[in-house]
């Protein structure tokens, strides 16, 4: 790796030390031994395979100490490369084995059994991105073989390395009779590159001569995957580069090299231990749900962290880690990972812990499965061969069932155990050796507990209402949220998460959103056609609105229906069910004021929507969100508040969900409609 004499002078200093560096004219590696030893260097590199430690059969030659020395390999006068010379000191270990038969005290003395020794000594060298192994054969004459005594040294010339590099050297024999020696050394760096702080900024100061041309590269040195280039420029003379402190991450590195042929690139990673860089890394890191049960942690650098599942109760208390029985797992960034869940649940969240605290937490399944539920999590633990114990996870800990404690789960302990034994609870996770997790709904218990309170409140409300009627002489209906039925096509798990994000965002408005994703149990029990028929009729009877969400797949199926009045069976069965209910209203001119159509920005052109459906207002989201929310308000004078009040909040939620979805796949569409009376049959 040749480097200019100018660059070496800068790195090593203009002092007698530079002049005193030995210059090697040979372009090939060489080896030599101290007086009395003979050496032979194998041609080319060998595989670095230390193998396991073996017992010595007698005296053996082993390395005892490593030394290094910087030299210059200079094929030409001004074309030199920095090189590391390695000196291996050797000694004889072990003794000759004694004969099996006992030696008598009066036996005659034996002749010495010493003989010459030969060893294969391996030198392993690493300096990113270089890794090499050289093999030396060393022979010691019999006269020098004295167990426990040093016999001399072997010198290897040499391993090339770049300025500022950290080099690691190992030495062992083949076969290996002891633990390998190792040595780490930091080579001289470029003293004219300085990193300093200036308030919230970081300054890279490059102090070189005015006529020196050099290249500067900023990049992420990632453990998993190739390095990622961030900024590159060719510069001349002294320079000061300003970085914002928010750009710092531990794997941000700087690479500098002179603009000369075959120049050595010197890399520095000065922020690996910078606390600001580590804080920024956690702020940049993001948890993403790729598909049900599969998630990924994205970050520019590797992270020392563990991930666990936790249970988030609706009371907004801290999310409680499910350890035990589930065990934490190490995090590998930018790689999809999976939790062995039996079922997903909106209350299940993912926690990433680093630096002994929670750094990230996401309830990944909340958008697709709806809001948090008032369920109790039961933890079933294996206590013996055929025995288990059950406890209820609460903010105070895991309450054993049954229990005499005063917590909510303890008061309902017998009922919860009965539901658990009759398998009325939903199993979320199971392990044959550790146990299982169960989610038990609490709605029915809360209804029974508060029935008298509700009756009292209703009677009081009725009395007040009657008094109000007598006093005012007229009735006034209390406003309530308008119902919005969201119909969409089944375009895969990613698209369902996008639909769930839209439904969740609209739920924050004065709207009661109905979508099949949140009613799958009812949909399965009654069938798609009956469920859509009933929801459409109920929505329009309550002066609600039906929203048709168009996607490219939905538009294609609509065209097929209009041409043949049928669609193929398969993933679009739900679409064909609601299409058979709403299409007659459009064909018979009864759609005005009852339906709205929507689709997502950039994923569909409005002209592709079939002509009959364009009888209803059509909006692109989120760009036309204000108009869409205003259309939702029309014809609903008693509706509480105005949907436009939260337009920005809905827009932000849609943009975030759309960006996340389009980065993973790419084709959504939405629409809304509204329709009165029973679902008409298609003739």
């Amino acid at each position: 790796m040749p480097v200019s004499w100018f660059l070496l002078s800068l790195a090593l200093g203009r002092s007698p030390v530079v002049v005193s560096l030995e210059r090697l004219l040979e372009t090939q590696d060489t080896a030599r031994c101290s007086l009395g030893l003979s050496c032979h260097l194998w041609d080319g590199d060998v595989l670095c395979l230390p193998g396991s430690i073996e017992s010595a059969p007698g005296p053996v030659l082993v390395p005892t100490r490593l030394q290094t020395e910087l030299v210059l390999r200079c094929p030409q006068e001004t074309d030199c490369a920095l090189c590391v010379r390695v000196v291996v000191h050797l000694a004889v270990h072990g003794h000759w084995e004694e004969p099996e038969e006992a030696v008598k005290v009066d036996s005659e003395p034996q002749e010495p059994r010493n003989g010459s020794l030969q060893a294969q000594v391996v030198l392993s060298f690493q300096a990113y991105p270089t890794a090499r192994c050289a093999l030396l054969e060393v022979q010691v004459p019999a006269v020098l073989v004295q167990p426990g005594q040093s016999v001399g040294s072997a010198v290897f010339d040499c391993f090339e390395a770049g300025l500022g590099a950290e080099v690691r050297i190992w030495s062992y024999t083949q076969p290996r009779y002891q633990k390998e020696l190792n040595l780490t050394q930091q080579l001289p760096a470029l003293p004219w590159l300085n990193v300093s702080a200036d308030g919230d900024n970081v300054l890279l100061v490059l102090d070189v001569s005015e006529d020196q041309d050099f290249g500067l590269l900023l990049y992420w040195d990632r453990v998993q995957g190739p390095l990622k280039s961030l900024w590159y420029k060719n510069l001349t003379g002294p320079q000061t580069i300003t970085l914002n402190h928010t750009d710092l991450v531990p794997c941000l590195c700087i690479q500098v090299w002179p603009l000369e042929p075959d120049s050595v690139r010197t890399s520095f990673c000065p922020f690996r231990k910078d606390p600001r860089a580590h804080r920024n890394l956690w702020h940049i890191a993001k948890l993403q749900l790729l598909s049900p049960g599969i998630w990924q942690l994205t970050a520019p650098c590797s992270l020392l962290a563990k991930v666990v599942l936790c249970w988030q109760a609706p009371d907004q208390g801290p999310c409680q880690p499910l350890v035990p029985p589930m065990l934490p797992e190490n995090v590998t960034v930018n790689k999809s990972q999976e939790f062995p869940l039996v079922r997903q649940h909106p209350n299940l969240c993912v926690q990433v812990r680093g630096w002994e605290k929670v750094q990230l937490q996401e309830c990944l399944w909340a958008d697709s499965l709806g809001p948090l539920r008032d369920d109790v999590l039961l933890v079933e633990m294996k206590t013996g061969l055929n025995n288990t114990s059950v406890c209820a996870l609460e903010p105070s800990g895991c309450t054993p069932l049954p229990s005499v404690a005063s917590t909510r789960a303890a008061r309902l302990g017998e009922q919860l155990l009965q539901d658990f034994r009759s398998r009325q609870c939903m199993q979320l996770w199971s392990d044959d050796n550790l146990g299982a997790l169960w989610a038990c709904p609490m709605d029915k218990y809360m209804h029974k507990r508060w029935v008298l309170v509700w009756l009292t409140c209703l009677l009081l409300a009725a009395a007040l209402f009657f008094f109000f009627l007598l006093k005012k002489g007229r009735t006034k209906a209390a406003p309530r949220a308008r119902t919005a039925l969201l119909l969409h096509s089944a375009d895969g798990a990613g698209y369902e998460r996008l639909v769930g994000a839209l439904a969740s965002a609209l739920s924050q408005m004065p709207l009661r959103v109905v979508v099949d994703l949140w009613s799958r149990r009812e949909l399965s029990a009654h069938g798609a056609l009956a469920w859509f028929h009933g929801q459409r009729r109920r929505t329009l009877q309550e002066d609600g609105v039906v929203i048709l969400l168009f996607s490219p797949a939905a538009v294609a199926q609509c065209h097929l229906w209009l041409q043949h009045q049928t669609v193929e069976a398969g993933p679009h069965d739900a679409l064909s069910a609601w299409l058979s209910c709403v299409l007659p209203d459009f064909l018979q001119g009864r759609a005005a004021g009852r339906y709205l159509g929507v689709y997502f920005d950039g994923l569909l052109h409005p002209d592709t929507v079939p002509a009959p459906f364009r009888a209803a207002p059509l909006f692109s989201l989120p760009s036309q969100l204000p108009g869409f929310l205003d259309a939702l308000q029309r014809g609903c004078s008693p509706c509480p508040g105005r949907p436009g009040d939260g337009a920005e909040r809905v827009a932000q939620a849609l943009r975030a969900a759309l960006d996340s979805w389009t980065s993973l796949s790419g084709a959504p569409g939405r629409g809304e409609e509204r329709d009165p009376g029973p679902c008409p049959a298609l003739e």
Side-chain angles (χ1 to χ4, degrees), residues 307-475:
V307 62
V308 298
L309 279 180
C310 64
W311 180 261
Q312 180 63 67
D315 59 6
Q316 300 303 316
C319 196
Q320 296 172 274
L322 304 181
V323 180
M326 301 189 74
L327 301 177
E329 297 182 8
N330 292 325
V331 174
T332 303
V333 299
N334 304 323
K335 180 181 179 182
S336 60
Q337 295 179 267
E338 181 177 5
F339 279 114
L341 292 174
V342 176
R343 298 281 294 274
Q344 284 83 46
H345 193 283
N347 295 35
L348 282 177
C349 304
V350 177
Q351 279 186 351
V352 179
R353 293 173 170 264
W355 290 7
E356 299 182 353
K357 66 177 183 178
V358 177
Q359 298 287 355
L360 290 173
Q361 178 178 309
E362 292 289 343
C363 299
L364 300 177
W365 298 279
D367 284 343
S368 60
L369 298 179
L372 299 177
R373 300 175 188 170
D374 188 20
D375 293 356
V376 168
L377 186 75
L378 298 187
V379 180
E380 180 186 10
M381 298 285 290
K382 300 287 186 181
T383 58
L385 186 60
N386 296 312
N387 297 324
T388 61
S389 64
V390 178
C391 64
L393 192 64
E394 296 186 285
S396 59
C398 207
T399 305
L401 298 181
S403 173
V404 296
S406 59
T407 63
R408 182 177 72 160
R411 289 192 294 268
L412 299 171
E414 292 297 336
Q415 294 95 318
L416 288 172
L417 283 176
Q418 183 177 354
D419 286 352
F420 165 72
R421 295 186 182 110
S422 60
R423 293 298 187 260
Q424 295 184 35
C425 301
M426 179 193 301
Q427 188 181 61
L428 304 180
W429 174 83
S430 178
D431 185 277
D432 293 338
N433 298 319
L434 300 177
L437 299 175
W438 304 81
C440 300
M442 294 291 288
D443 296 343
K444 58 182 179 181
Y445 303 120
M446 301 314 298
H447 291 163
K448 293 177 182 178
R449 183 175 182 84
W450 297 101
V451 62
L452 294 178
V453 177
W454 283 115
L455 286 175
T456 303
C457 293
L458 288 175
L459 289 174
L460 180 61
L464 291 174
F465 184 66
F466 181 70
F467 175 77
F468 179 78
L469 288 179
L470 291 177
K471 186 176 180 180
K472 296 294 183 179
R474 59 187 178 88
T475 62

Side-chain angles (χ1 to χ4, degrees), residues 52-66:
S52 57
I53 297 178
E54 300 181 9
S55 300
V60 292
L61 196 61
V62 295
T64 58
R65 187 161 58 94
L66 289 174

